[in-house]
Amino acid sequence: MKSRGQGSGVSDQGVLGRRAFLERAGVITAAVGFGRLPRLARAKLGPIGIQLYTVRRELAKDVEGTLAKLAAIGYQEVEFAGYPEGTAKSLRAILDRLHLRAPSGHVGTQALRTDWARTLEQAATVGQQYVVVAFIPQEERRTADDWKRMAGAFNRAGEAAKAAGLQFCYHNHDFEFPPLEGAVPYDLLLSSADPKLVQLELDLYWITKAGRDPLDYFAKWPGRFPLVHVKDMDATPNKFFADVGKGTIDFRRIFRRAGQAGIKHYFYEQDETPGSPFDSAKASYQYLRALTF
C-alpha cells in the first residue's frame, strides 16, 4: 500500500507537470502572436474556517456571542475543540442561526475507549463530517509498538465512524516526527492505519517546527489530508505562533499542492495571540481571503 502511494504521487506529478508546461507554453505562444502575455488565473481558498481553540476563553464565557463575532469577520466554518456548554442540538441551532458550519471537531483518546458511540452521535447532530483525535498522551506513545497499537485503535474507531457516516482523522503536533527506535512515528501511523478509515488533519505549524516539509508527505501519501490547520510561525528563535501572513511559513507553496494532498477544509488556528484573539482572527482571515496561489 505504501509503495502504491509513493508511485502514484510521483506519476501524478509528472503528468500534471508536463500538462501544465504544455498548456502554459500554448498560452504563451498564442499570446506572442497577439503581441501580449495574458495574466494566468490564480487559485483562491474556498470557505475559510477557524479552530475554536483560538477563542476558547471567550467561548467559555459566551458561546453564541463569540461565534457571532467570528461569523461577522467572515468565517464560514468552525472546528470545535471539545464542545462548549450546551447540548449538541442547541449548538447546531446556534450554528444554523449564524449561517456557520462545523464540518469537524476534536476529541481526546479517552473518547475512543469509553464514549465513542455517543461521541459519534453528537458529532452527527452538530453537523460534522470529521471526528478528529487531537493528541496522544505521552504514556501512550513511548515505543514504536505503541504507535502501531494506536494505529489499530484508530482503525477500529474509524470503522465505527464510517458506519455512522463520519470520517475519523488524527491531528499532529511536533512529537510525531523525531525518530523513535529507527522509525518516524508519524510515518508508522500513516503506513499502519487503513487510509479509508484513518485520514489526517495536518497542522502546518507543528510539522514545520519539527523540521519536516508538508509537500513530502503530500507526495508520499496523496489524498490522506482532507483537513489542515493554517497556523503561522514567527521568526524568533522560539518559533512561536504568529498571525497568518506575518510569519515565516510559505502558505502559497503549500496550497498549490492542495489537490494532491486532498485538502477540503482550511482552519486558521493560533494557540496564543499577542492581543485580542478576534483581532488576530480578523487579520488572519483577511490575509487568507486575499491570498492567491
Side-chain angles (χ1 to χ4, degrees), residues 162-216:
K162 185 177 181 180
L166 300 166
Q167 175 65 58
F168 178 87
C169 291
Y170 174 69
H171 162 274
N172 66 282
H173 288 79
D174 57 352
F175 57 74
E176 293 90 348
F177 298 98
L180 177 66
E181 299 176 2
V184 175
Y186 198 63
D187 295 15
L188 278 177
L189 184 63
L190 276 158
S191 59
S192 301
D194 185 331
K196 295 180 180 178
L197 302 177
V198 181
Q199 295 191 329
L200 289 304
E201 177 173 57
L202 191 65
D203 189 301
L204 300 174
Y205 168 90
W206 288 115
I207 189 173
T208 302
K209 189 171 186 180
R212 304 284 176 163
D213 188 343
L215 301 193
D216 291 342

